Amino acid sequence: RIAGDQLLEVNDEKQMISLEGKVRPEDVSENNSVVSNRIADAKIHYVGDGVLADGQKPGLITRVLTWLGL
């Protein structure tokens, strides 16, 4: 089992990328790295914080309609 995350800051935007999955011991190289297509059951989470991320959030009307179940 592997897991890791990385925080990137670009133009005052913070972006967190998290990865977890399963890897066979024989797929781990001598420098302790793994090719991405050798990760099984991979879960990737991407979360941003800043002006661009705020623009991706639903508007007020959409949030109200969702809260009402419409």
Side-chain angles (χ1 to χ4, degrees):
R1 197 132 189 84
I2 61 165
D5 49 44
Q6 181 176 24
L7 177 64
L8 302 171
E9 287 191 48
V10 179
N11 297 332
D12 294 325
E13 290 278 325
K14 293 181 182 178
Q15 301 169 352
M16 175 68 78
I17 302 170
S18 300
L19 168 76
E20 62 181 81
K22 297 176 185 175
V23 177
R24 298 179 311 172
E26 57 265 26
D27 291 332
V28 178
S29 70
E30 292 177 4
N31 64 353
N32 203 30
S33 62
V34 177
V35 180
S36 62
N37 66 356
R38 306 309 282 167
I39 302 173
D41 298 330
K43 295 178 185 169
I44 303 170
H45 303 278
Y46 183 82
V47 180
D49 182 30
V51 176
L52 291 175
D54 291 343
Q56 298 296 318
K57 294 180 182 174
L60 179 61
I61 294 172
T62 304
R63 287 184 283 174
V64 169
L65 292 175
T66 301
W67 182 76
L68 293 173
L70 302 174

